[in-house]
Amino acid sequence: MTADLIFTNGPVLTLDAARTRATALAVRDGRILAVGHDLGELRGPKTEVIDLQGRLLLPGFQDAHVHAVFGGLERGQCDLTGTTELGEYQERIRTYADAHPDQEWITGSGWSMETFPGGLPTRELLDAIVPDRPVYLTNRDHHGAWVNTAALQRAGITRDTPDPADGVINRDAAGEPIGALQEGAVSLVSHLIPAATPADLLAGLLRAQRLLHSLGITGWQDAMLCGSNGYPDPSDAYLAAARDGSLTATVTGALWWDRDRGAEQIPELLAHRDRLTLGRLTCRTVKIMQDGVAENFTAAMTAPYLDGCGCATGNSGISFVDPAALAGYVTELDALGFQVHFHALGDRAVREALDAVAAARAANGFRDTRHHLAHLQVVHPDDIARFRQLGAVANLQPLWAAHEPQMDELTIPFLGPERAAWQYPFGDLLRAGATLAAGSDWPVSSPDPIQGVHVAVNRVGPGETGPVFLPSQRLDLGTALAAYTAGSAYVNHRDDSGTLRPGNVADLVVLDRDPFDGPPVEIGETRVDLTYVAGELVHER
């Protein structure tokens, strides 16, 4: 038997439990045929040979929490990422509006809260640029929106409009809306925006797939399909791409749990699971968003947020789903074979999610449902060991675990020193025996796994030299890479991927170097040279 493809002159990092290395790997019919040091006997007249020349070969990365289609769509809208300068925002918005004179709404995303006093932009800043058309711009974490007066008027939002139960209309001292909306309040405006067409959504998916493949990502879990919260539903785009073969990545879709409804939606989720499982697409996960984010004080905490003077407020954040009801929902979903993917950012939301998993385990026993909690910004020390005890996976977004203005100015002062020290406890979770997976939450933050690995190891942003953020929570390089490969493969029920062993699917990435050879501060300089899906080349730098 001969191979279709052989990689030689490694290193080859298998990312198995022992983190073994080899120097050669062979592929046949889309799967790994052999891993070793001298595979010349598998070379035939039609075998393609890739000389690694010391570049590291490892399993393809998998993103355990991403919004790929939304990210692809936003790359075609007004892009405010990559800067925190107000003048630059205004120039980009003006340029985009001028370039799209026939567009009814000006939409985009990516602004940072740190740019504005208190993290709150105002409508007047947009009115000065685009006074005649509604403008709707989500911030980089997509939990808030910046709108102009025309958008507020379209939505009928005035000083008399009450805050929705799951959100906030930010107001000035006189009670007038200032042009900033948080959490569920964004849907008061977003539902008026003309819906993306099926062609738009498919183009967004394929645009995103090209980018993710260029970063070495061969599969992912999309964290919101069949949503009911004002965002476009990408499920039909995935289904179309799965049908026509243009979906080259392997995708797990997480079906959105409508927090305004209860268990009566479960039959619909079962129908979605059946309809949206085809080819490289599977949808046996349900996404439950249990809280918001710390920067706008909607992440659910066990104790109140502090005010600017360091005194306790009356606000401890929002639990979007009643905790008692949550336990019942998760128990029923678990019994039906659904994985539950929790958005749990504050320590109370983390505890409520773990309590729900505990209820499911008590009622149903330990099933192979692989529930996971994403974000984990603040985790109470009492709950660290529960991840291992309950078999709940810690789904990390490592890029967020660093000092930067949104952390230092809009988060830490309002948490206080004790809770601030509980943030992103990657090291504690590892030492307690938790299974770690990793993702990006793109387009909230960069989808580049290498950048995430850099922060997981250094707890400093790529290219930054500032103070280390909670240094005891750093991961070693091998563990960080395993989270983005074997750990995320486990979450995605892709047990024939994530490690390099004979029989596994040949989802592979070749880096431009071996990052173990250099100092940790240089990890972020690593680039992806080649990406393969089932032995087929999908990206070459």
Side-chain angles (χ1 to χ4, degrees), residues 320-351:
F320 289 134
V321 181
D322 176 78
L326 180 68
Y329 301 151
V330 173
T331 298
E332 187 170 351
L333 291 168
D334 179 78
L336 292 168
F338 278 111
Q339 174 188 78
V340 179
H341 178 162
F342 298 92
H343 169 119
L345 202 137
D347 64 336
R348 190 177 84 234
V350 171
R351 181 167 294 171

PDB file of all heavy atoms in Angstrom, residues 320-351:
ATOM      1  N   PHE A 320     -30.192  35.394  32.274  1.00  0.00           N
ATOM      2  CA  PHE A 320     -31.216  35.458  31.238  1.00  0.00           C
ATOM      3  C   PHE A 320     -32.232  34.326  31.354  1.00  0.00           C
ATOM      4  O   PHE A 320     -33.379  34.469  30.928  1.00  0.00           O
ATOM      5  CB  PHE A 320     -30.573  35.429  29.859  1.00  0.00           C
ATOM      6  CG  PHE A 320     -29.821  36.689  29.498  1.00  0.00           C
ATOM      7  CD1 PHE A 320     -28.554  36.624  28.940  1.00  0.00           C
ATOM      8  CD2 PHE A 320     -30.379  37.931  29.712  1.00  0.00           C
ATOM      9  CE1 PHE A 320     -27.865  37.766  28.595  1.00  0.00           C
ATOM     10  CE2 PHE A 320     -29.695  39.095  29.381  1.00  0.00           C
ATOM     11  CZ  PHE A 320     -28.435  39.012  28.812  1.00  0.00           C
ATOM     12  N   VAL A 321     -31.819  33.191  31.898  1.00  0.00           N
ATOM     13  CA  VAL A 321     -32.729  32.059  32.097  1.00  0.00           C
ATOM     14  C   VAL A 321     -32.803  31.783  33.594  1.00  0.00           C
ATOM     15  O   VAL A 321     -31.764  31.691  34.265  1.00  0.00           O
ATOM     16  CB  VAL A 321     -32.241  30.797  31.350  1.00  0.00           C
ATOM     17  CG1 VAL A 321     -33.221  29.638  31.554  1.00  0.00           C
ATOM     18  CG2 VAL A 321     -32.062  31.085  29.862  1.00  0.00           C
ATOM     19  N   ASP A 322     -34.022  31.683  34.111  1.00  0.00           N
ATOM     20  CA  ASP A 322     -34.191  31.387  35.533  1.00  0.00           C
ATOM     21  C   ASP A 322     -33.409  30.133  35.905  1.00  0.00           C
ATOM     22  O   ASP A 322     -33.539  29.094  35.242  1.00  0.00           O
ATOM     23  CB  ASP A 322     -35.671  31.176  35.837  1.00  0.00           C
ATOM     24  CG  ASP A 322     -35.904  30.767  37.277  1.00  0.00           C
ATOM     25  OD1 ASP A 322     -35.856  31.626  38.156  1.00  0.00           O
ATOM     26  OD2 ASP A 322     -36.108  29.543  37.500  1.00  0.00           O
ATOM     27  N   PRO A 323     -32.568  30.188  36.946  1.00  0.00           N
ATOM     28  CA  PRO A 323     -31.705  29.046  37.252  1.00  0.00           C
ATOM     29  C   PRO A 323     -32.456  27.747  37.514  1.00  0.00           C
ATOM     30  O   PRO A 323     -31.998  26.674  37.093  1.00  0.00           O
ATOM     31  CB  PRO A 323     -30.936  29.505  38.491  1.00  0.00           C
ATOM     32  CG  PRO A 323     -30.969  30.998  38.431  1.00  0.00           C
ATOM     33  CD  PRO A 323     -32.274  31.350  37.806  1.00  0.00           C
ATOM     34  N   ALA A 324     -33.591  27.805  38.193  1.00  0.00           N
ATOM     35  CA  ALA A 324     -34.354  26.577  38.446  1.00  0.00           C
ATOM     36  C   ALA A 324     -34.888  26.004  37.152  1.00  0.00           C
ATOM     37  O   ALA A 324     -34.843  24.783  36.922  1.00  0.00           O
ATOM     38  CB  ALA A 324     -35.490  26.866  39.419  1.00  0.00           C
ATOM     39  N   ALA A 325     -35.387  26.888  36.285  1.00  0.00           N
ATOM     40  CA  ALA A 325     -35.868  26.411  34.989  1.00  0.00           C
ATOM     41  C   ALA A 325     -34.715  25.877  34.143  1.00  0.00           C
ATOM     42  O   ALA A 325     -34.866  24.880  33.427  1.00  0.00           O
ATOM     43  CB  ALA A 325     -36.587  27.539  34.258  1.00  0.00           C
ATOM     44  N   LEU A 326     -33.562  26.539  34.228  1.00  0.00           N
ATOM     45  CA  LEU A 326     -32.391  26.112  33.456  1.00  0.00           C
ATOM     46  C   LEU A 326     -32.048  24.661  33.750  1.00  0.00           C
ATOM     47  O   LEU A 326     -31.758  23.872  32.829  1.00  0.00           O
ATOM     48  CB  LEU A 326     -31.208  27.022  33.783  1.00  0.00           C
ATOM     49  CG  LEU A 326     -29.897  26.708  33.069  1.00  0.00           C
ATOM     50  CD1 LEU A 326     -30.006  27.003  31.580  1.00  0.00           C
ATOM     51  CD2 LEU A 326     -28.746  27.519  33.694  1.00  0.00           C
ATOM     52  N   ALA A 327     -32.049  24.283  35.013  1.00  0.00           N
ATOM     53  CA  ALA A 327     -31.714  22.908  35.383  1.00  0.00           C
ATOM     54  C   ALA A 327     -32.670  21.922  34.724  1.00  0.00           C
ATOM     55  O   ALA A 327     -32.240  20.856  34.230  1.00  0.00           O
ATOM     56  CB  ALA A 327     -31.752  22.756  36.899  1.00  0.00           C
ATOM     57  N   GLY A 328     -33.946  22.255  34.680  1.00  0.00           N
ATOM     58  CA  GLY A 328     -34.911  21.377  34.037  1.00  0.00           C
ATOM     59  C   GLY A 328     -34.700  21.289  32.543  1.00  0.00           C
ATOM     60  O   GLY A 328     -34.775  20.197  31.947  1.00  0.00           O
ATOM     61  N   TYR A 329     -34.430  22.419  31.902  1.00  0.00           N
ATOM     62  CA  TYR A 329     -34.211  22.411  30.458  1.00  0.00           C
ATOM     63  C   TYR A 329     -32.984  21.568  30.095  1.00  0.00           C
ATOM     64  O   TYR A 329     -33.019  20.761  29.158  1.00  0.00           O
ATOM     65  CB  TYR A 329     -33.995  23.834  29.944  1.00  0.00           C
ATOM     66  CG  TYR A 329     -35.120  24.802  30.194  1.00  0.00           C
ATOM     67  CD1 TYR A 329     -34.863  26.165  30.349  1.00  0.00           C
ATOM     68  CD2 TYR A 329     -36.450  24.372  30.286  1.00  0.00           C
ATOM     69  CE1 TYR A 329     -35.883  27.081  30.579  1.00  0.00           C
ATOM     70  CE2 TYR A 329     -37.484  25.282  30.530  1.00  0.00           C
ATOM     71  CZ  TYR A 329     -37.189  26.627  30.674  1.00  0.00           C
ATOM     72  OH  TYR A 329     -38.192  27.530  30.905  1.00  0.00           O
ATOM     73  N   VAL A 330     -31.884  21.784  30.834  1.00  0.00           N
ATOM     74  CA  VAL A 330     -30.648  21.065  30.518  1.00  0.00           C
ATOM     75  C   VAL A 330     -30.822  19.570  30.762  1.00  0.00           C
ATOM     76  O   VAL A 330     -30.325  18.742  29.995  1.00  0.00           O
ATOM     77  CB  VAL A 330     -29.474  21.644  31.331  1.00  0.00           C
ATOM     78  CG1 VAL A 330     -28.210  20.799  31.159  1.00  0.00           C
ATOM     79  CG2 VAL A 330     -29.210  23.090  30.903  1.00  0.00           C
ATOM     80  N   THR A 331     -31.548  19.214  31.809  1.00  0.00           N
ATOM     81  CA  THR A 331     -31.806  17.796  32.073  1.00  0.00           C
ATOM     82  C   THR A 331     -32.565  17.161  30.914  1.00  0.00           C
ATOM     83  O   THR A 331     -32.234  16.048  30.469  1.00  0.00           O
ATOM     84  CB  THR A 331     -32.590  17.643  33.383  1.00  0.00           C
ATOM     85  OG1 THR A 331     -31.790  18.154  34.466  1.00  0.00           O
ATOM     86  CG2 THR A 331     -32.939  16.189  33.646  1.00  0.00           C
ATOM     87  N   GLU A 332     -33.566  17.854  30.395  1.00  0.00           N
ATOM     88  CA  GLU A 332     -34.343  17.299  29.282  1.00  0.00           C
ATOM     89  C   GLU A 332     -33.513  17.241  28.001  1.00  0.00           C
ATOM     90  O   GLU A 332     -33.554  16.244  27.260  1.00  0.00           O
ATOM     91  CB  GLU A 332     -35.605  18.134  29.062  1.00  0.00           C
ATOM     92  CG  GLU A 332     -36.550  17.528  28.024  1.00  0.00           C
ATOM     93  CD  GLU A 332     -37.900  18.213  27.966  1.00  0.00           C
ATOM     94  OE1 GLU A 332     -38.192  19.056  28.842  1.00  0.00           O
ATOM     95  OE2 GLU A 332     -38.673  17.882  27.038  1.00  0.00           O
ATOM     96  N   LEU A 333     -32.753  18.282  27.742  1.00  0.00           N
ATOM     97  CA  LEU A 333     -31.901  18.282  26.552  1.00  0.00           C
ATOM     98  C   LEU A 333     -30.862  17.175  26.619  1.00  0.00           C
ATOM     99  O   LEU A 333     -30.599  16.473  25.632  1.00  0.00           O
ATOM    100  CB  LEU A 333     -31.222  19.644  26.400  1.00  0.00           C
ATOM    101  CG  LEU A 333     -32.139  20.818  26.044  1.00  0.00           C
ATOM    102  CD1 LEU A 333     -31.409  22.142  26.217  1.00  0.00           C
ATOM    103  CD2 LEU A 333     -32.664  20.680  24.615  1.00  0.00           C
ATOM    104  N   ASP A 334     -30.254  17.007  27.784  1.00  0.00           N
ATOM    105  CA  ASP A 334     -29.256  15.960  27.980  1.00  0.00           C
ATOM    106  C   ASP A 334     -29.869  14.580  27.727  1.00  0.00           C
ATOM    107  O   ASP A 334     -29.254  13.720  27.072  1.00  0.00           O
ATOM    108  CB  ASP A 334     -28.701  16.059  29.399  1.00  0.00           C
ATOM    109  CG  ASP A 334     -27.670  15.009  29.721  1.00  0.00           C
ATOM    110  OD1 ASP A 334     -26.522  15.154  29.290  1.00  0.00           O
ATOM    111  OD2 ASP A 334     -28.033  14.016  30.402  1.00  0.00           O
ATOM    112  N   ALA A 335     -31.077  14.356  28.207  1.00  0.00           N
ATOM    113  CA  ALA A 335     -31.741  13.066  28.011  1.00  0.00           C
ATOM    114  C   ALA A 335     -32.010  12.789  26.541  1.00  0.00           C
ATOM    115  O   ALA A 335     -32.061  11.627  26.114  1.00  0.00           O
ATOM    116  CB  ALA A 335     -33.051  13.028  28.802  1.00  0.00           C
ATOM    117  N   LEU A 336     -32.163  13.852  25.748  1.00  0.00           N
ATOM    118  CA  LEU A 336     -32.420  13.705  24.315  1.00  0.00           C
ATOM    119  C   LEU A 336     -31.133  13.658  23.492  1.00  0.00           C
ATOM    120  O   LEU A 336     -31.188  13.644  22.254  1.00  0.00           O
ATOM    121  CB  LEU A 336     -33.300  14.859  23.835  1.00  0.00           C
ATOM    122  CG  LEU A 336     -34.742  14.856  24.368  1.00  0.00           C
ATOM    123  CD1 LEU A 336     -35.432  16.180  24.076  1.00  0.00           C
ATOM    124  CD2 LEU A 336     -35.526  13.692  23.764  1.00  0.00           C
ATOM    125  N   GLY A 337     -29.992  13.637  24.166  1.00  0.00           N
ATOM    126  CA  GLY A 337     -28.722  13.518  23.465  1.00  0.00           C
ATOM    127  C   GLY A 337     -28.139  14.823  22.969  1.00  0.00           C
ATOM    128  O   GLY A 337     -27.175  14.821  22.197  1.00  0.00           O
ATOM    129  N   PHE A 338     -28.680  15.946  23.420  1.00  0.00           N
ATOM    130  CA  PHE A 338     -28.120  17.243  23.034  1.00  0.00           C
ATOM    131  C   PHE A 338     -26.943  17.598  23.928  1.00  0.00           C
ATOM    132  O   PHE A 338     -26.980  17.408  25.147  1.00  0.00           O
ATOM    133  CB  PHE A 338     -29.168  18.346  23.174  1.00  0.00           C
ATOM    134  CG  PHE A 338     -30.124  18.476  22.028  1.00  0.00           C
ATOM    135  CD1 PHE A 338     -31.464  18.150  22.183  1.00  0.00           C
ATOM    136  CD2 PHE A 338     -29.696  18.952  20.793  1.00  0.00           C
ATOM    137  CE1 PHE A 338     -32.361  18.293  21.137  1.00  0.00           C
ATOM    138  CE2 PHE A 338     -30.591  19.093  19.739  1.00  0.00           C
ATOM    139  CZ  PHE A 338     -31.919  18.756  19.907  1.00  0.00           C
ATOM    140  N   GLN A 339     -25.910  18.144  23.325  1.00  0.00           N
ATOM    141  CA  GLN A 339     -24.877  18.856  24.065  1.00  0.00           C
ATOM    142  C   GLN A 339     -25.393  20.262  24.350  1.00  0.00           C
ATOM    143  O   GLN A 339     -26.084  20.848  23.520  1.00  0.00           O
ATOM    144  CB  GLN A 339     -23.616  18.946  23.207  1.00  0.00           C
ATOM    145  CG  GLN A 339     -22.496  19.794  23.787  1.00  0.00           C
ATOM    146  CD  GLN A 339     -21.359  19.989  22.783  1.00  0.00           C
ATOM    147  OE1 GLN A 339     -21.464  20.794  21.870  1.00  0.00           O
ATOM    148  NE2 GLN A 339     -20.299  19.213  22.952  1.00  0.00           N
ATOM    149  N   VAL A 340     -25.082  20.808  25.528  1.00  0.00           N
ATOM    150  CA  VAL A 340     -25.432  22.197  25.834  1.00  0.00           C
ATOM    151  C   VAL A 340     -24.155  23.026  25.895  1.00  0.00           C
ATOM    152  O   VAL A 340     -23.190  22.677  26.572  1.00  0.00           O
ATOM    153  CB  VAL A 340     -26.225  22.318  27.145  1.00  0.00           C
ATOM    154  CG1 VAL A 340     -26.555  23.786  27.437  1.00  0.00           C
ATOM    155  CG2 VAL A 340     -27.520  21.506  27.070  1.00  0.00           C
ATOM    156  N   HIS A 341     -24.180  24.107  25.142  1.00  0.00           N
ATOM    157  CA  HIS A 341     -23.065  25.056  25.038  1.00  0.00           C
ATOM    158  C   HIS A 341     -23.532  26.333  25.744  1.00  0.00           C
ATOM    159  O   HIS A 341     -24.423  27.021  25.257  1.00  0.00           O
ATOM    160  CB  HIS A 341     -22.792  25.290  23.552  1.00  0.00           C
ATOM    161  CG  HIS A 341     -21.717  26.281  23.237  1.00  0.00           C
ATOM    162  ND1 HIS A 341     -21.117  26.319  21.996  1.00  0.00           N
ATOM    163  CD2 HIS A 341     -21.138  27.269  23.949  1.00  0.00           C
ATOM    164  CE1 HIS A 341     -20.227  27.291  21.965  1.00  0.00           C
ATOM    165  NE2 HIS A 341     -20.222  27.882  23.144  1.00  0.00           N
ATOM    166  N   PHE A 342     -22.967  26.600  26.914  1.00  0.00           N
ATOM    167  CA  PHE A 342     -23.388  27.740  27.727  1.00  0.00           C
ATOM    168  C   PHE A 342     -22.508  28.957  27.456  1.00  0.00           C
ATOM    169  O   PHE A 342     -21.277  28.840  27.431  1.00  0.00           O
ATOM    170  CB  PHE A 342     -23.259  27.433  29.227  1.00  0.00           C
ATOM    171  CG  PHE A 342     -24.103  26.310  29.746  1.00  0.00           C
ATOM    172  CD1 PHE A 342     -23.603  25.015  29.785  1.00  0.00           C
ATOM    173  CD2 PHE A 342     -25.381  26.535  30.231  1.00  0.00           C
ATOM    174  CE1 PHE A 342     -24.354  23.967  30.291  1.00  0.00           C
ATOM    175  CE2 PHE A 342     -26.148  25.498  30.741  1.00  0.00           C
ATOM    176  CZ  PHE A 342     -25.632  24.207  30.768  1.00  0.00           C
ATOM    177  N   HIS A 343     -23.124  30.116  27.288  1.00  0.00           N
ATOM    178  CA  HIS A 343     -22.424  31.388  27.458  1.00  0.00           C
ATOM    179  C   HIS A 343     -22.507  31.693  28.952  1.00  0.00           C
ATOM    180  O   HIS A 343     -23.595  31.967  29.475  1.00  0.00           O
ATOM    181  CB  HIS A 343     -23.105  32.489  26.634  1.00  0.00           C
ATOM    182  CG  HIS A 343     -22.630  33.884  26.948  1.00  0.00           C
ATOM    183  ND1 HIS A 343     -22.033  34.694  26.010  1.00  0.00           N
ATOM    184  CD2 HIS A 343     -22.692  34.634  28.086  1.00  0.00           C
ATOM    185  CE1 HIS A 343     -21.750  35.863  26.564  1.00  0.00           C
ATOM    186  NE2 HIS A 343     -22.137  35.848  27.828  1.00  0.00           N
ATOM    187  N   ALA A 344     -21.368  31.628  29.637  1.00  0.00           N
ATOM    188  CA  ALA A 344     -21.334  31.858  31.085  1.00  0.00           C
ATOM    189  C   ALA A 344     -20.088  32.675  31.386  1.00  0.00           C
ATOM    190  O   ALA A 344     -18.978  32.143  31.377  1.00  0.00           O
ATOM    191  CB  ALA A 344     -21.325  30.532  31.845  1.00  0.00           C
ATOM    192  N   LEU A 345     -20.275  33.937  31.667  1.00  0.00           N
ATOM    193  CA  LEU A 345     -19.143  34.835  31.803  1.00  0.00           C
ATOM    194  C   LEU A 345     -18.892  35.253  33.246  1.00  0.00           C
ATOM    195  O   LEU A 345     -17.752  35.266  33.701  1.00  0.00           O
ATOM    196  CB  LEU A 345     -19.390  36.055  30.913  1.00  0.00           C
ATOM    197  CG  LEU A 345     -18.165  36.849  30.511  1.00  0.00           C
ATOM    198  CD1 LEU A 345     -18.227  37.230  29.044  1.00  0.00           C
ATOM    199  CD2 LEU A 345     -18.046  38.094  31.374  1.00  0.00           C
ATOM    200  N   GLY A 346     -19.957  35.568  33.988  1.00  0.00           N
ATOM    201  CA  GLY A 346     -19.807  35.921  35.394  1.00  0.00           C
ATOM    202  C   GLY A 346     -19.858  34.705  36.298  1.00  0.00           C
ATOM    203  O   GLY A 346     -20.337  33.632  35.906  1.00  0.00           O
ATOM    204  N   ASP A 347     -19.375  34.844  37.524  1.00  0.00           N
ATOM    205  CA  ASP A 347     -19.268  33.672  38.395  1.00  0.00           C
ATOM    206  C   ASP A 347     -20.629  33.101  38.779  1.00  0.00           C
ATOM    207  O   ASP A 347     -20.763  31.893  39.003  1.00  0.00           O
ATOM    208  CB  ASP A 347     -18.410  33.969  39.628  1.00  0.00           C
ATOM    209  CG  ASP A 347     -18.982  35.031  40.556  1.00  0.00           C
ATOM    210  OD1 ASP A 347     -19.784  35.869  40.096  1.00  0.00           O
ATOM    211  OD2 ASP A 347     -18.610  35.036  41.743  1.00  0.00           O
ATOM    212  N   ARG A 348     -21.676  33.945  38.842  1.00  0.00           N
ATOM    213  CA  ARG A 348     -22.998  33.385  39.121  1.00  0.00           C
ATOM    214  C   ARG A 348     -23.523  32.586  37.931  1.00  0.00           C
ATOM    215  O   ARG A 348     -24.100  31.510  38.097  1.00  0.00           O
ATOM    216  CB  ARG A 348     -23.994  34.506  39.472  1.00  0.00           C
ATOM    217  CG  ARG A 348     -25.321  33.953  39.997  1.00  0.00           C
ATOM    218  CD  ARG A 348     -26.283  35.049  40.427  1.00  0.00           C
ATOM    219  NE  ARG A 348     -27.044  35.606  39.330  1.00  0.00           N
ATOM    220  CZ  ARG A 348     -27.121  36.895  39.021  1.00  0.00           C
ATOM    221  NH1 ARG A 348     -26.443  37.790  39.730  1.00  0.00           N
ATOM    222  NH2 ARG A 348     -27.861  37.310  38.018  1.00  0.00           N
ATOM    223  N   ALA A 349     -23.305  33.088  36.716  1.00  0.00           N
ATOM    224  CA  ALA A 349     -23.732  32.352  35.529  1.00  0.00           C
ATOM    225  C   ALA A 349     -22.980  31.031  35.411  1.00  0.00           C
ATOM    226  O   ALA A 349     -23.558  29.997  35.045  1.00  0.00           O
ATOM    227  CB  ALA A 349     -23.516  33.198  34.279  1.00  0.00           C
ATOM    228  N   VAL A 350     -21.683  31.045  35.718  1.00  0.00           N
ATOM    229  CA  VAL A 350     -20.909  29.799  35.696  1.00  0.00           C
ATOM    230  C   VAL A 350     -21.496  28.804  36.691  1.00  0.00           C
ATOM    231  O   VAL A 350     -21.703  27.623  36.369  1.00  0.00           O
ATOM    232  CB  VAL A 350     -19.424  30.085  36.017  1.00  0.00           C
ATOM    233  CG1 VAL A 350     -18.658  28.782  36.212  1.00  0.00           C
ATOM    234  CG2 VAL A 350     -18.789  30.915  34.911  1.00  0.00           C
ATOM    235  N   ARG A 351     -21.793  29.284  37.887  1.00  0.00           N
ATOM    236  CA  ARG A 351     -22.360  28.385  38.907  1.00  0.00           C
ATOM    237  C   ARG A 351     -23.733  27.860  38.479  1.00  0.00           C
ATOM    238  O   ARG A 351     -24.034  26.676  38.660  1.00  0.00           O
ATOM    239  CB  ARG A 351     -22.445  29.116  40.245  1.00  0.00           C
ATOM    240  CG  ARG A 351     -22.996  28.267  41.376  1.00  0.00           C
ATOM    241  CD  ARG A 351     -22.758  28.928  42.726  1.00  0.00           C
ATOM    242  NE  ARG A 351     -21.334  29.005  43.028  1.00  0.00           N
ATOM    243  CZ  ARG A 351     -20.824  29.682  44.064  1.00  0.00           C
ATOM    244  NH1 ARG A 351     -21.646  30.365  44.873  1.00  0.00           N
ATOM    245  NH2 ARG A 351     -19.529  29.689  44.288  1.00  0.00           N
TER     246      ARG A 351
END
